[in-house]
Amino acid sequence: MTTFESISDQLEAQAIELPSWAFGNSGTRFKVFTTPGTPRTIEEKISDAARVHELTGLAPSVALHIPWDKVDDYAALGRYAGDLGLSLGTVNSNTFQDDAYKFGSLTHTDAAVRQKAIDHHFECLEIMNETGSNDLKIWLADGTNYPGQGDIRGRQDRLADSLAAIYGRLGDNQRLVLEYKFFEPAFYHTDVPDWGTSYAQVAALGDQALVCLDTGHHAPGTNIEFIVAQLLRLGKLGSFDFNSRFYADDDLIVGAADPFQLFRILYEVIRGGGFGPDSPVAFMLDQCHNVEEKIPGQIRSVLNVQEMTTRALLVDRDALTAAQDAGDVLGANGILMDAFYTDVRADLAAWRESCGLPADPMAAFAASGYQQKIADERVGGRQAGWGA
Amino acid sequence: MTTFESISDQLEAQAIELPSWAFGNSGTRFKVFTTPGTPRTIEEKISDAARVHELTGLAPSVALHIPWDKVDDYAALGRYAGDLGLSLGTVNSNTFQDDAYKFGSLTHTDAAVRQKAIDHHFECLEIMNETGSNDLKIWLADGTNYPGQGDIRGRQDRLADSLAAIYGRLGDNQRLVLEYKFFEPAFYHTDVPDWGTSYAQVAALGDQALVCLDTGHHAPGTNIEFIVAQLLRLGKLGSFDFNSRFYADDDLIVGAADPFQLFRILYEVIRGGGFGPDSPVAFMLDQCHNVEEKIPGQIRSVLNVQEMTTRALLVDRDALTAAQDAGDVLGANGILMDAFYTDVRADLAAWRESCGLPADPMAAFAASGYQQKIADERVGGRQAGWGA
Amino acid sequence: MTTFESISDQLEAQAIELPSWAFGNSGTRFKVFTTPGTPRTIEEKISDAARVHELTGLAPSVALHIPWDKVDDYAALGRYAGDLGLSLGTVNSNTFQDDAYKFGSLTHTDAAVRQKAIDHHFECLEIMNETGSNDLKIWLADGTNYPGQGDIRGRQDRLADSLAAIYGRLGDNQRLVLEYKFFEPAFYHTDVPDWGTSYAQVAALGDQALVCLDTGHHAPGTNIEFIVAQLLRLGKLGSFDFNSRFYADDDLIVGAADPFQLFRILYEVIRGGGFGPDSPVAFMLDQCHNVEEKIPGQIRSVLNVQEMTTRALLVDRDALTAAQDAGDVLGANGILMDAFYTDVRADLAAWRESCGLPADPMAAFAASGYQQKIADERVGGRQAGWGA
Amino acid sequence: MTTFESISDQLEAQAIELPSWAFGNSGTRFKVFTTPGTPRTIEEKISDAARVHELTGLAPSVALHIPWDKVDDYAALGRYAGDLGLSLGTVNSNTFQDDAYKFGSLTHTDAAVRQKAIDHHFECLEIMNETGSNDLKIWLADGTNYPGQGDIRGRQDRLADSLAAIYGRLGDNQRLVLEYKFFEPAFYHTDVPDWGTSYAQVAALGDQALVCLDTGHHAPGTNIEFIVAQLLRLGKLGSFDFNSRFYADDDLIVGAADPFQLFRILYEVIRGGGFGPDSPVAFMLDQCHNVEEKIPGQIRSVLNVQEMTTRALLVDRDALTAAQDAGDVLGANGILMDAFYTDVRADLAAWRESCGLPADPMAAFAASGYQQKIADERVGGRQAGWGA
């Protein structure tokens, strides 16, 4: 099997963007539990994100969500982040919390509502120009709850028009990534429910438009690594939103529900050229820490991605190809499983130390006193959340 | 085929309880849309519910949710409802919105939290004594989000103990109905995930404990009418929470997603003796009107149940049995489909008029001006919702 | 609402192709039940299919499956069908029953196996030239059962090459339609699992390549009518394989499991221009009559499609658009449901008689004595089946 | 964390029964691929099974399937197995391959068919008396394909009567284990679809009736370890049929699809007292090796169960309980994951050698020449299969 030593240099390039909203409160329609120390501002979110990167070396950027993270001075915010060792990353738009969007945003039958939603994306692009962000990520909550409520076909056509308007404003180094989601918050149809729809829409836009794959946004039983392989083949995989699920869009910690699936996804990423310094694929988390601690939850998440990336890099691809070509089903499967079953944690701990990082970032965080510090300091104000 | 005339007298006994919370705002974790005229108080909810019954004759009682519907004087509340032609029905407990219940309520490892949850149910029973309600319905949000977070087995044992404590306080004419749910708000395991668990728990309690079947709380593909038939056979079907779903617990209008499924469910209810004046099975709605109007949404819902009940009553059961016994697959299926495909709406409209009800309750409500009236009157205050 | 009279002329053009294999035996891996009268030859299958068309006027062509339906003289077979009022339709290839295809056909790592599979399709095209068939339908069983068994990405690339070779041989009036399937017979990954993959592959081929949508080949919860709308929008919906399912690819009678879904699908077909004499969309059945009678099963199926098409045509589209534009959720849904709930069976019976067809094709078949006749005559020989 | 040394003695008791039919051919409704060396007789199946046990020490018994494994002299068969180091285990009945059972067996409306099916089980019990088998396992294919085809309720009542008749013939040391299955070969309803139904039926029979849990027989998303915990709590978990699945009842190698799920299942087995010499829970495989080699497939399977059992035994249960009681979500989850991520393969290899077994049973089998030997010797005759 491939050795850890032979692949460890490839680990250096790994970067996983953190979502600012993961540090705020989140929950379900039934209850949002609050916790002491939860950030009140984007600056406090960035401060928390900086701890994750400091302890893991894996998370050098933070994604913003507009309007949740709006500030007056984005240049100042960028400097604030930079001082903490972070950069500002993807800008996420929000077309699901304004009353105007009750029946749709970019797909709405009313041109005025569509323009409002388009203008919101223009504002996001202006923020990106100030923050230096490259990616505008669009997750649309648009959809309907009842058959007949909307005209599926007309909505798709209007979506194409709205996206074209937004796409036309992209700067040369900017990208539009379009996320798809099987269901929720719409319960009969969503306007971008699957990778095929996202692909068809971004293919019509041009080279700077790509697909965002959220690992929790598929029908039960969907083979996600197949989609990864296909989108890489088509040159249209722009980014990942990592999380995990047992049922719906549970938004659990990535790798928590099915670590073997995460391994298979990362194997196809590597196989398809989606990993490494030249890859256009952006790795991001998109999770909710409803009942667990938020900062350790993020640390655990980036470590999970790193551990499974490492295992995927360990696959002996020459031997695998030979077994595949020979029709040796058990042999080929065994080669993949050998890598998955290899316990890379000690090697990673040593490698981390060699990089000046703590061997055990989870323990280092617990010992740091940071959680107690923010619990003590962040008193009063309004804790950040989704504002639902 | 059976004629409408021969079954219409059976329609008179149909009663579908309305949930008080259906008249308040509800939504998803992403957004709760508000609407003009939404009730601020339980009295206003009851007033809205009374319109549904007035126009349909189908909804003579309203379920309460504690603490959302707490008042100082339940006897006065009962008189208020009575004056509007309604009675107070099932009392629903709530063990999911107190911070103490973050890691469980009746299943919690901490005896003090369990006692708090038990005491809440004692309070509900006291309210029932005042309102004259018969049924205490328990839907537990208890569960865990991550493997290892809780001890599945120990939680089940503690649940049994807690339920026994509550059961011990039931009056002679009171029942405990235990709802099950596949997932949400917990995303790894729920403590009462399926009918088997609910059945095992209530069977251990005694004759006054039964199962509540919510039509939206099953795994994809589950044959719900089979569960109906089985629970009726075991003598343990206590009540229905009607709604419909395409994906998860979407809580859409009953019959909206799959009217044929609703028909099959009601056929098994009738077949198994669960329909009629002597049946112990309580019919309730449990829905969310996230984007549609609430009062018409409830009217549409009870009409859907009535229409599908009517179709199910039309099944020629003698002919069906003969075809089944003969192994005539297409013939038997055809007899069922004949009833399902029969358009009973005109017959029901005429029957409604013969009972002094409007032929078209939806149109009658729209023409009544009630919606405009409450929109004008209910200004200020805090609109009722889930308080999530 | 739209009246039956105003839409009945649109019914005349409806044609639903019958699969020859529906008249042979089929079953599960556990058991294939045989029945008296089952055809032994393609001529006997065509004879049975002719009865379906004679009684319904809906099924003027029969699809062939190669090699199951191979004959020496296709011109003679075409004349035989023509004498019975039928034409020969789509040719279906088979790359799943030869030992060579154990690990793939058009995707196989071995160029010789790929060429064998390509040559089989060339043979199918030659048969099409003789029968005058327009469509070559490719359903691929290719896939793997275990992670690592095959190289997902490489298989996709080889598939593209193989399809290009086949596409290159198409005549000017011929089409290649590529079916997708979620799973089975492969259980880890299939090489064409979803509409997105089929679309990406046929888009790369050219205008004569289109997608075939089998209604049973999706993940649980998939909104199929959305896919219909999307493929029509993209100009790539080539054909339907109709059937129905509760769980997997159950291949039950179309409309049997969820008639409302069939209605919604047909509504989007009509909405998107996929219905009528100028539509390029081919309607076919692909079903298994494991336990029910085969010829009546096919009659029931085409009638189900006709009945739901009729209901879908009845939708008052102007009123629907107005309600959608007004954000009237319940109103818009109600307009759709009005059409679905309309019992069109009596109108269709009268219309059928006006066309010289029996009012009740199911009863007419039962009364015809044909089933007894073939049971008496078709003695000996080997009943047709899948040859699994 | 718990050390391997401290738990290794618990591994000695592990025994996993092999299904005789795993050594014969199996496939899908589309194709059954044959392979050289496939057994023609039950004796050859037993010979193959003996290799699995010889190399792993894990599989001391073989389950029989009647009528596939019928012989004239079961005492002789038992001696034959004994000479190879094996015993004859569970007897599996078959009520799905006789034409009489097209519409049901133990549930059939015709008393004569029910009696035929009951008599078949009496025959199985007589065979058990001769082989010394303890368990009669009943998997029922009974069900219907179309709504209305059968009377769900009546079928359940008849099932209860039939089971009671069979139960009445059990010897003192014999058990009846009733398997449940979500769907297939029936596609609308199955008569024992879920654990609740199996539990209700066996609870009505008595202490010698228990539930068989096949890991592939659940709805998508079902939390199987919860069912394990619940059935152990209720004292009704009789046996496992191990295999794995991505979609339906794929019958893949146990642990191949989701090794973490297998780990969680085995953790709950251990937690609930289902593992060890005093446990009444029988472990069995029930798999299909459609495309992979059969004997290595069985070896891989028992090793997977052993490896995941070992990891589950490594869970530090005291620490886990402490973290659970403290509400430390990430800590508790981490303790479980630590055990899962521990690579036990080297320890198991050493332990195996200390027991006189080959360190690498897969390699040992490949090196043994047995596969070539049976391929050479087993020429002619009819290879064993399902006979579908």
Side-chain angles (χ1 to χ4, degrees):
Chain A
M1 203 177 75
T2 308
T3 63
F4 182 83
E5 289 67 31
S6 68
I7 61 95
S8 60
D9 60 328
Q10 297 182 60
L11 298 174
E12 285 165 32
Q14 189 158 38
I16 304 155
E17 189 162 293
L18 305 184
S20 70
W21 54 97
F23 300 96
N25 294 317
S26 62
T28 69
R29 58 177 172 153
F30 295 100
K31 172 71 173 173
V32 176
F33 291 101
T34 60
T35 45
T38 296
R40 284 85 46 96
T41 64
I42 176 61
E43 286 81 6
E44 290 180 353
K45 294 179 191 176
I46 290 172
S47 170
D48 290 359
R51 301 302 292 188
V52 177
H53 186 50
E54 181 186 330
L55 295 171
T56 64
L58 286 167
S61 66
V62 182
L64 301 180
H65 186 108
I66 303 302
W68 298 343
D69 297 328
K70 283 181 80 162
V71 293
D72 291 331
D73 186 341
Y74 291 96
L77 189 70
R79 288 191 299 275
Y80 176 84
D83 289 346
L84 290 168
L86 299 184
S87 64
L88 301 179
T90 300
V91 168
N92 293 262
S93 63
N94 179 322
T95 54
F96 53 88
Q97 288 185 331
D98 192 296
D99 286 337
Y101 301 139
K102 187 172 184 176
F103 301 122
S105 64
L106 297 179
T107 67
H108 202 288
T109 52
D110 184 341
V113 177
R114 291 200 302 279
Q115 191 58 48
K116 176 184 167 77
I118 293 167
D119 287 344
H120 168 64
H121 288 89
F122 290 163
E123 181 191 8
C124 289
L125 287 171
E126 286 166 19
I127 291 171
M128 289 167 62
N129 291 334
E130 295 184 51
T131 59
S133 301
N134 292 321
D135 284 5
L136 172 65
K137 190 168 71 181
I138 303 179
W139 167 63
L140 273 193
D142 288 36
T144 61
N145 276 6
Y146 292 96
Q149 178 187 334
D151 178 27
I152 290 173
R153 168 67 179 272
R155 294 171 70 96
Q156 199 68 211
D157 293 335
R158 291 188 294 273
L159 174 60
D161 291 343
S162 298
L163 289 173
I166 297 165
Y167 187 81
R169 289 271 186 112
L170 287 183
D172 289 346
N173 295 319
Q174 291 176 337
R175 310 191 306 174
L176 181 163
V177 289
L178 181 61
E179 193 167 337
Y180 59 91
K181 186 172 184 182
F182 188 51
F183 80 97
E184 195 212 20
F187 295 130
Y188 163 58
H189 106 280
T190 62
D191 288 301
V192 191
D194 50 25
W195 78 264
T197 295
S198 183
Y199 169 69
Q201 288 281 357
V202 300
L205 293 175
D207 289 346
Q208 289 169 256
L210 297 115
V211 176
C212 174
L213 188 161
D214 184 299
T215 50
H217 290 188
H218 302 85
T222 300
N223 184 321
I224 299 174
E225 57 267 30
F226 177 90
I227 299 174
V228 170
Q230 182 69 277
L231 285 172
L232 283 168
R233 176 179 173 272
L234 296 167
K236 281 297 189 186
L237 181 59
S239 56
F240 275 102
D241 268 9
F242 280 118
N243 51 58
S244 72
R245 64 186 284 280
F246 288 98
Y247 304 96
D249 184 32
D250 305 342
D251 278 329
L252 301 178
I253 286 174
V254 55
D258 186 349
F260 182 43
Q261 183 189 55
L262 178 58
F263 166 82
R264 299 194 309 265
I265 288 171
L266 289 164
Y267 175 74
E268 289 298 333
V269 170
I270 294 165
R271 160 67 182 88
F275 182 75
D278 300 328
S279 161
V281 181
F283 286 52
M284 296 183 284
L285 301 183
D286 185 8
Q287 304 181 159
C288 295
H289 303 302
N290 295 352
V291 296
E292 70 273 18
E293 290 181 290
K294 297 170 178 70
I295 302 173
Q298 293 283 292
I299 294 173
R300 179 72 274 156
S301 299
V302 295
L303 294 177
N304 281 355
V305 175
Q306 184 184 47
E307 290 180 17
M308 286 303 150
T309 301
T310 305
R311 293 172 191 229
L313 287 167
L314 291 180
V315 173
D316 185 338
R317 287 176 54 188
D318 291 338
L320 182 60
T321 299
Q324 289 169 343
D325 289 352
D328 180 3
V329 177
L330 292 170
N333 176 247
I335 289 164
L336 202 75
M337 299 312 292
D338 269 351
F340 175 66
Y341 283 140
T342 301
D343 191 347
V344 298
R345 294 176 299 169
D347 280 334
L348 278 172
W351 177 83
R352 229 172 256 128
E353 288 193 312
S354 76
C355 302
L357 294 164
D360 182 343
M362 292 290 283
F365 179 77
S368 73
Y370 183 83
Q371 188 68 46
Q372 189 58 50
K373 179 169 169 287
I374 59 175
D376 292 343
E377 290 177 359
R378 296 177 184 170
V379 176
R382 180 175 179 166
Q383 294 193 340
W386 288 14
Chain B
M1 204 177 75
T2 308
T3 62
F4 182 83
E5 290 66 34
S6 69
I7 61 95
S8 60
D9 61 326
Q10 296 182 61
L11 298 176
E12 285 166 32
Q14 190 158 37
I16 304 155
E17 190 161 294
L18 305 184
S20 70
W21 54 95
F23 300 96
N25 294 317
S26 62
T28 68
R29 57 177 173 153
F30 295 99
K31 173 71 174 173
V32 177
F33 291 101
T34 60
T35 46
T38 296
R40 286 85 45 98
T41 64
I42 176 62
E43 286 81 4
E44 290 180 353
K45 295 178 192 176
I46 290 172
S47 171
D48 289 359
R51 300 303 293 187
V52 177
H53 186 51
E54 181 185 330
L55 295 170
T56 65
L58 286 168
S61 65
V62 181
L64 302 180
H65 186 108
I66 303 300
W68 298 342
D69 297 327
K70 283 182 79 161
V71 293
D72 291 332
D73 186 342
Y74 290 96
L77 189 71
R79 286 191 301 274
Y80 176 84
D83 289 345
L84 291 168
L86 299 183
S87 64
L88 302 179
T90 300
V91 169
N92 294 260
S93 61
N94 179 323
T95 54
F96 53 89
Q97 289 187 330
D98 191 297
D99 286 337
Y101 301 139
K102 187 172 184 176
F103 301 121
S105 63
L106 297 178
T107 67
H108 203 286
T109 53
D110 183 340
V113 177
R114 290 200 302 279
Q115 191 59 49
K116 175 186 169 75
I118 293 168
D119 287 344
H120 168 64
H121 288 90
F122 290 164
E123 182 192 8
C124 289
L125 287 170
E126 285 166 20
I127 291 171
M128 288 167 64
N129 291 334
E130 294 182 52
T131 59
S133 302
N134 293 322
D135 284 5
L136 172 64
K137 190 169 70 182
I138 304 179
W139 167 63
L140 273 193
D142 288 35
T144 60
N145 276 6
Y146 292 97
Q149 178 187 333
D151 177 27
I152 290 173
R153 169 66 178 272
R155 293 171 71 96
Q156 199 67 211
D157 293 335
R158 292 189 292 274
L159 173 60
D161 290 344
S162 297
L163 289 174
I166 297 165
Y167 188 80
R169 288 274 186 109
L170 288 183
D172 289 345
N173 295 319
Q174 290 175 335
R175 312 190 305 174
L176 181 163
V177 289
L178 181 62
E179 194 167 338
Y180 59 91
K181 186 172 184 182
F182 188 50
F183 80 99
E184 196 213 20
F187 294 130
Y188 163 59
H189 106 279
T190 63
D191 288 302
V192 190
D194 51 25
W195 79 263
T197 295
S198 183
Y199 170 69
Q201 287 282 359
V202 300
L205 293 175
D207 289 346
Q208 289 169 257
L210 297 114
V211 176
C212 174
L213 187 161
D214 182 300
T215 50
H217 290 189
H218 302 85
T222 300
N223 185 321
I224 298 174
E225 57 268 30
F226 177 90
I227 299 174
V228 170
Q230 182 69 278
L231 283 172
L232 283 169
R233 177 179 173 270
L234 296 167
K236 281 296 187 186
L237 181 59
S239 57
F240 275 100
D241 268 9
F242 281 117
N243 52 57
S244 72
R245 65 187 284 279
F246 288 97
Y247 305 97
D249 184 33
D250 306 342
D251 277 329
L252 301 178
I253 286 175
V254 56
D258 187 349
F260 183 43
Q261 183 189 55
L262 178 59
F263 166 82
R264 298 193 311 263
I265 289 170
L266 288 164
Y267 175 74
E268 289 298 334
V269 169
I270 294 164
R271 161 66 181 89
F275 182 75
D278 300 329
S279 162
V281 181
F283 286 53
M284 295 183 284
L285 301 183
D286 186 7
Q287 303 179 162
C288 295
H289 302 302
N290 295 353
V291 297
E292 70 274 19
E293 292 181 289
K294 297 170 178 71
I295 302 173
Q298 292 283 292
I299 294 174
R300 179 73 272 158
S301 299
V302 295
L303 293 177
N304 281 354
V305 174
Q306 185 184 45
E307 289 179 18
M308 286 302 152
T309 302
T310 304
R311 293 171 191 229
L313 286 166
L314 290 181
V315 173
D316 184 338
R317 289 176 54 190
D318 291 338
L320 182 60
T321 299
Q324 289 170 340
D325 289 352
D328 180 3
V329 177
L330 292 170
N333 177 248
I335 289 163
L336 202 74
M337 299 312 291
D338 268 351
F340 174 66
Y341 283 141
T342 301
D343 190 347
V344 298
R345 292 176 300 168
D347 281 333
L348 278 171
W351 177 82
R352 230 173 255 127
E353 288 195 310
S354 77
C355 300
L357 293 165
D360 183 342
M362 293 290 283
F365 179 76
S368 73
Y370 184 83
Q371 188 68 43
Q372 189 58 49
K373 178 169 170 288
I374 59 176
D376 293 342
E377 289 177 359
R378 295 174 184 172
V379 176
R382 178 174 180 166
Q383 294 191 340
W386 287 16
Chain C
M1 205 177 75
T2 308
T3 61
F4 182 82
E5 289 67 33
S6 69
I7 60 96
S8 60
D9 60 328
Q10 297 182 61
L11 298 175
E12 285 165 32
Q14 188 157 39
I16 304 155
E17 190 162 294
L18 305 184
S20 69
W21 55 97
F23 299 96
N25 293 317
S26 64
T28 69
R29 58 176 172 153
F30 295 101
K31 172 72 173 172
V32 176
F33 291 101
T34 60
T35 45
T38 296
R40 285 87 41 100
T41 64
I42 176 62
E43 286 81 5
E44 288 180 353
K45 294 178 192 177
I46 289 172
S47 171
D48 290 0
R51 300 304 290 189
V52 177
H53 185 51
E54 180 185 332
L55 295 170
T56 65
L58 286 168
S61 65
V62 181
L64 302 181
H65 187 108
I66 304 299
W68 299 343
D69 297 328
K70 283 181 80 162
V71 292
D72 291 331
D73 185 342
Y74 290 96
L77 189 70
R79 286 190 299 273
Y80 177 84
D83 290 345
L84 290 168
L86 299 184
S87 65
L88 301 179
T90 300
V91 168
N92 294 261
S93 63
N94 179 322
T95 54
F96 52 88
Q97 288 186 330
D98 190 297
D99 286 337
Y101 301 139
K102 187 172 186 177
F103 301 121
S105 63
L106 297 179
T107 67
H108 203 286
T109 52
D110 184 340
V113 177
R114 291 200 302 279
Q115 192 58 49
K116 175 184 168 77
I118 292 168
D119 287 343
H120 168 65
H121 287 89
F122 289 163
E123 180 191 9
C124 289
L125 286 172
E126 285 166 21
I127 292 172
M128 288 168 63
N129 291 335
E130 295 182 52
T131 59
S133 301
N134 293 321
D135 284 5
L136 172 65
K137 189 168 72 180
I138 303 179
W139 168 63
L140 273 193
D142 289 36
T144 61
N145 276 6
Y146 291 96
Q149 178 188 333
D151 177 26
I152 290 174
R153 169 67 178 273
R155 294 172 69 95
Q156 199 66 211
D157 294 336
R158 291 189 293 272
L159 173 61
D161 291 343
S162 298
L163 289 173
I166 297 166
Y167 188 80
R169 288 271 186 113
L170 286 184
D172 288 346
N173 295 318
Q174 291 176 338
R175 310 191 306 174
L176 181 163
V177 288
L178 180 61
E179 195 167 336
Y180 59 92
K181 186 172 183 182
F182 189 50
F183 80 97
E184 194 212 22
F187 295 130
Y188 163 58
H189 106 279
T190 62
D191 288 301
V192 190
D194 50 25
W195 79 263
T197 295
S198 182
Y199 169 68
Q201 288 282 359
V202 301
L205 292 176
D207 289 346
Q208 288 169 258
L210 297 114
V211 175
C212 174
L213 188 161
D214 183 301
T215 51
H217 290 189
H218 303 86
T222 300
N223 185 322
I224 298 174
E225 57 268 29
F226 177 90
I227 299 174
V228 170
Q230 183 69 277
L231 284 173
L232 283 170
R233 178 180 172 270
L234 296 167
K236 282 295 188 186
L237 182 58
S239 57
F240 275 101
D241 268 8
F242 281 117
N243 52 57
S244 73
R245 64 185 284 280
F246 287 98
Y247 305 96
D249 183 34
D250 305 342
D251 277 328
L252 301 179
I253 287 175
V254 55
D258 186 348
F260 182 43
Q261 183 189 54
L262 178 59
F263 166 82
R264 299 193 310 266
I265 288 171
L266 289 165
Y267 175 74
E268 289 299 333
V269 170
I270 295 165
R271 161 67 181 89
F275 181 75
D278 300 328
S279 162
V281 181
F283 286 53
M284 295 182 285
L285 301 183
D286 185 8
Q287 305 181 159
C288 295
H289 303 301
N290 295 353
V291 297
E292 69 274 19
E293 291 181 288
K294 297 170 178 71
I295 302 173
Q298 292 284 293
I299 295 173
R300 180 72 272 156
S301 300
V302 295
L303 293 178
N304 281 355
V305 174
Q306 184 184 46
E307 290 180 18
M308 286 303 152
T309 301
T310 304
R311 293 172 191 230
L313 287 167
L314 290 180
V315 173
D316 185 338
R317 289 175 53 188
D318 290 338
L320 182 60
T321 299
Q324 289 169 342
D325 289 352
D328 180 3
V329 178
L330 292 170
N333 178 246
I335 289 164
L336 202 75
M337 300 312 292
D338 269 351
F340 175 66
Y341 283 142
T342 300
D343 190 346
V344 298
R345 293 177 298 169
D347 280 333
L348 278 171
W351 177 82
R352 229 172 256 128
E353 288 194 311
S354 76
C355 301
L357 294 164
D360 183 343
M362 292 290 282
F365 179 78
S368 72
Y370 184 82
Q371 188 68 45
Q372 189 57 50
K373 178 170 170 286
I374 58 176
D376 292 343
E377 289 177 359
R378 296 176 184 170
V379 176
R382 182 176 178 164
Q383 294 192 340
W386 289 15
Chain D
M1 203 177 79
T2 309
T3 62
F4 181 84
E5 290 67 34
S6 69
I7 60 93
S8 60
D9 60 326
Q10 297 182 61
L11 297 175
E12 286 166 31
Q14 190 158 37
I16 303 155
E17 190 162 293
L18 304 184
S20 69
W21 54 96
F23 300 97
N25 294 318
S26 62
T28 69
R29 58 176 171 153
F30 295 99
K31 173 72 173 172
V32 176
F33 291 100
T34 59
T35 45
T38 295
R40 284 86 43 98
T41 64
I42 176 62
E43 286 82 5
E44 290 180 352
K45 295 179 192 176
I46 289 173
S47 170
D48 290 358
R51 302 301 292 187
V52 177
H53 185 50
E54 180 184 330
L55 296 170
T56 65
L58 286 168
S61 65
V62 181
L64 302 180
H65 187 107
I66 304 301
W68 299 342
D69 297 328
K70 284 182 78 163
V71 293
D72 291 332
D73 185 342
Y74 290 96
L77 190 70
R79 287 191 300 274
Y80 176 83
D83 289 346
L84 291 167
L86 300 183
S87 65
L88 301 178
T90 300
V91 168
N92 293 262
S93 63
N94 179 323
T95 54
F96 52 89
Q97 288 185 331
D98 190 297
D99 286 336
Y101 300 140
K102 186 172 186 177
F103 300 121
S105 64
L106 297 178
T107 67
H108 203 286
T109 53
D110 184 341
V113 177
R114 290 200 303 279
Q115 192 58 48
K116 174 183 168 77
I118 293 168
D119 287 344
H120 169 64
H121 287 90
F122 289 164
E123 181 191 7
C124 289
L125 287 171
E126 285 165 21
I127 292 171
M128 290 167 63
N129 291 336
E130 295 182 53
T131 58
S133 302
N134 292 321
D135 284 4
L136 172 64
K137 189 169 72 181
I138 303 179
W139 168 63
L140 272 193
D142 288 35
T144 60
N145 277 6
Y146 291 96
Q149 178 187 334
D151 178 27
I152 290 173
R153 169 66 178 273
R155 293 173 69 95
Q156 199 67 210
D157 293 335
R158 291 190 293 273
L159 173 60
D161 291 344
S162 297
L163 289 173
I166 297 165
Y167 188 80
R169 289 271 186 111
L170 288 183
D172 287 347
N173 295 320
Q174 291 175 336
R175 310 190 307 174
L176 180 164
V177 288
L178 181 62
E179 194 166 338
Y180 59 91
K181 184 172 185 182
F182 188 50
F183 80 97
E184 196 215 18
F187 294 130
Y188 163 58
H189 106 281
T190 62
D191 289 301
V192 190
D194 52 25
W195 79 263
T197 295
S198 182
Y199 169 69
Q201 286 283 358
V202 301
L205 292 175
D207 289 346
Q208 289 169 256
L210 297 114
V211 176
C212 174
L213 188 161
D214 182 300
T215 50
H217 291 188
H218 303 85
T222 300
N223 185 320
I224 298 174
E225 57 268 29
F226 177 89
I227 299 174
V228 170
Q230 183 68 278
L231 284 173
L232 283 168
R233 177 179 173 270
L234 296 167
K236 282 294 187 187
L237 182 58
S239 57
F240 276 102
D241 268 8
F242 281 118
N243 51 58
S244 72
R245 65 185 283 280
F246 288 97
Y247 304 96
D249 184 33
D250 306 340
D251 278 328
L252 301 178
I253 286 175
V254 56
D258 187 348
F260 182 42
Q261 183 189 55
L262 178 58
F263 166 83
R264 300 194 309 265
I265 288 171
L266 289 165
Y267 175 74
E268 288 299 334
V269 169
I270 295 164
R271 161 65 182 89
F275 182 75
D278 300 329
S279 161
V281 181
F283 286 51
M284 297 182 284
L285 301 184
D286 185 8
Q287 304 180 160
C288 295
H289 302 301
N290 295 353
V291 296
E292 69 274 18
E293 291 181 290
K294 299 172 177 69
I295 302 173
Q298 292 283 294
I299 294 174
R300 180 72 272 157
S301 299
V302 296
L303 293 178
N304 280 355
V305 174
Q306 184 184 46
E307 290 180 19
M308 286 302 151
T309 302
T310 304
R311 293 171 191 231
L313 286 166
L314 290 181
V315 174
D316 184 339
R317 288 176 53 187
D318 290 339
L320 182 60
T321 299
Q324 289 169 342
D325 288 353
D328 180 3
V329 177
L330 292 170
N333 177 245
I335 290 163
L336 202 74
M337 298 314 291
D338 269 352
F340 174 67
Y341 283 141
T342 301
D343 190 346
V344 298
R345 293 176 300 169
D347 281 334
L348 278 171
W351 176 82
R352 231 172 256 127
E353 288 194 312
S354 77
C355 301
L357 294 164
D360 183 343
M362 292 289 283
F365 178 76
S368 73
Y370 184 83
Q371 189 68 45
Q372 189 58 49
K373 179 168 170 288
I374 58 175
D376 293 342
E377 290 177 359
R378 295 176 184 171
V379 175
R382 181 176 178 162
Q383 295 192 338
W386 287 17

